[in-house]
Amino acid sequence: MTVEVETTPAGELFPALELSQGERQGDDAGQGNGLLRIRLGDVRMPHDVRLTVSTEGLRHASVIETRISGDTVLRPRLAWDTEALLQLRQPRRQTLRVSVTARGMKMLEREVQLDVHPLDEAVYFVREGDARIDLGWAFAAWVDPQDPVVDQLLELAGIHAGESLPGDRQARLGLAQKLWVALEQRGLRYAEEGAGLSQGPVIYSQRVRLLSDTWNDRVANCLDGSVLIASALERLGIGSFLVLVPGHAFVGFYVDGERREAEFLETTLLGFRKPPGHDAESAAQVRQRALPGFEAARRAGRARYRKVVTKLDGRHRPDYALIDISTARAYGIMPLAVGRRGNTASAPVASSTPAVSARPERRLP
């Protein structure tokens, strides 16, 4: 018997992709995402095999016990330790150890060197050989409606999440406006920095700050701010989506129950017209500045969407995408849940299986 270790992309592991799937019933180690594969070849007779996979940063080794009768590919699910991964700030070279045992056969062992990527790195497209793998839906994993940061944001905004879902346009716009004002009160400011980490030719990835980092540092690039607002909107039961364009991102949300009409927010306008060196603004001063800032963000978001909508059809370059959060949930993409400290409660999900296209049909009011 032979043992080969394969990863997509070659030599790389992105734990966030595994964590975004959530734990399935029974937490079967054989239900991995397929980006890590153990290929057992030259199998000449049936065997009961035990596969063990271990590496740094796991809660425990992953074990698959199964019967094989021919050449087989096993897809282990790795039990990543989020607390350990939170300490990882850049890719780390480490050893993945694989062992295969079977009765009457000498243990087979393999060790491969892999780069393990931190939780704030989102890989959204892989082009390797003839393979083209679109992983853009995984961006929804950084949208976490149950993160404690969302509780703090809603409290600051004076919003009670337990209230019934607002059905009319003005009510939903009012909630979005309150969230915007609260972010201004928090002192969140746009950081003009590139989120892109790798733009091909094999890996396309972007950095996405975890919600706690955005909240505590009071700094957000365009994608960070969009993810935070989308998290709060999902908590309120309002369907939202992320719009990705080369080098940029912004957030949209549905203002009607049928998900046919949407508004957009350009989060680069957080801190709109804030006077330099005036950190001690009163609540009234912040609100006076934030309200026109919210309207400016709406106008800029709509203008940006008009400009790129024809390229959000999946036929253009990988960094043009519209990621509808509730559609992603229906596909099985769950929040990373890195900030919950054991809290696994589920949040309301707006229209988890949308009755209409993910792209709003009547895009602008």
Side-chain angles (χ1 to χ4, degrees):
M1 185 183 300
T2 61
V3 179
E4 296 180 17
V5 180
E6 302 173 343
T7 63
T8 302
E12 313 281 343
L13 281 178
F14 290 84
L17 292 176
E18 196 97 61
L19 291 169
S20 70
Q21 294 186 6
E23 294 189 359
R24 297 184 178 94
Q25 191 69 28
D27 195 19
D28 185 349
Q31 294 181 332
N33 56 28
L35 299 180
L36 168 64
R37 303 171 300 282
I38 311 300
R39 191 177 297 276
L40 305 181
D42 196 22
V43 180
R44 301 177 181 177
M45 58 182 295
H47 288 283
D48 291 320
V49 300
R50 177 185 174 92
L51 168 73
T52 303
V53 180
S54 63
T55 192
E56 185 179 356
L58 299 182
R59 300 195 310 272
H60 53 75
S62 293
V63 177
I64 299 177
E65 295 181 332
T66 188
R67 185 170 182 80
I68 62 174
S69 56
D71 292 1
T72 302
V73 176
L74 300 178
R75 297 170 173 81
R77 179 184 176 86
L78 299 183
W80 292 105
D81 183 342
T82 56
E83 291 295 325
L85 291 173
L86 286 172
Q87 310 307 313
L88 189 61
R89 292 299 178 180
Q90 60 185 6
R92 179 178 62 205
R93 194 73 169 170
Q94 60 189 64
T95 302
L96 182 83
R97 298 175 178 84
V98 176
S99 67
V100 178
T101 59
R103 180 176 297 179
M105 186 182 74
K106 182 180 178 180
M107 177 187 293
L108 299 174
E109 296 180 288
R110 295 289 182 272
E111 291 188 354
V112 296
Q113 297 297 306
L114 299 170
D115 287 327
V116 174
H117 292 254
L119 288 178
D120 63 357
E121 184 172 351
V123 58
Y124 58 90
F125 194 85
V126 175
R127 179 187 287 122
E128 195 167 39
D130 294 332
R132 302 290 186 271
I133 304 174
D134 185 353
L135 300 167
W137 289 108
F139 275 109
W142 281 265
V143 177
D144 188 351
Q146 290 292 349
D147 192 286
V149 164
V150 175
D151 292 323
Q152 296 177 63
L153 174 56
L154 294 181
E155 181 179 0
L156 188 58
I159 299 173
H160 299 287
E163 297 175 355
S164 59
L165 173 65
D168 66 273
R169 171 186 174 79
Q170 289 306 313
R172 293 184 181 211
L173 277 174
L175 289 174
Q177 184 187 77
K178 286 183 177 181
L179 293 174
W180 187 273
V181 173
L183 291 176
E184 292 282 13
Q185 290 175 334
R186 177 66 182 174
L188 201 71
R189 60 180 176 83
Y190 168 65
E192 191 172 353
E193 59 185 25
L197 293 175
S198 177
Q199 302 302 305
V202 176
I203 298 174
Y204 293 76
S205 66
Q206 289 199 197
R207 172 157 289 127
V208 189
R209 282 186 178 89
L210 302 176
L211 296 187
S212 59
D213 291 337
T214 299
W215 187 256
N216 294 331
D217 296 342
R218 294 176 166 84
V219 171
N221 63 33
C222 55
L223 187 54
D224 304 330
S226 297
V227 163
L228 178 52
I229 290 173
S231 298
L233 290 172
E234 186 180 10
R235 178 70 169 272
L236 296 173
I238 298 175
S240 63
F241 48 89
L242 305 173
V243 184
L244 306 181
V245 299
H248 188 57
F250 56 102
V251 65
F253 59 98
Y254 296 101
V255 291
D256 64 328
E258 293 73 31
R259 299 165 59 88
R260 296 179 184 276
E261 187 177 354
E263 284 282 352
F264 310 88
L265 291 174
E266 177 58 79
T267 57
T268 59
L269 293 181
L270 282 167
F272 182 71
R273 293 180 179 172
K274 182 177 181 180
H278 286 252
D279 294 329
E281 291 179 284
S282 68
Q285 288 173 319
V286 171
R287 182 174 177 80
Q288 185 178 15
R289 177 173 54 79
L291 292 179
F294 176 75
E295 295 304 321
R298 285 176 61 197
R299 290 192 299 271
R302 281 185 283 179
R304 177 83 69 168
Y305 187 76
R306 286 193 190 101
K307 186 176 180 180
V308 304
V309 62
T310 58
K311 296 183 178 180
L312 301 175
D313 56 6
R315 294 195 293 269
H316 290 75
R317 49 186 285 181
D319 36 11
Y320 281 106
L322 188 151
I323 297 111
D324 183 281
I325 304 304
S326 56
T327 303
R329 301 290 185 242
Y331 288 164
I333 305 299
M334 296 293 107
L336 293 179
V338 295
R340 300 188 194 173
R341 305 288 180 179
N343 176 15
T344 58
S346 60
V349 175
S351 300
S352 59
T353 43
V356 297
S357 168
R359 187 181 299 123
E361 294 181 8
R362 191 169 67 252
R363 293 179 289 276
L364 300 174

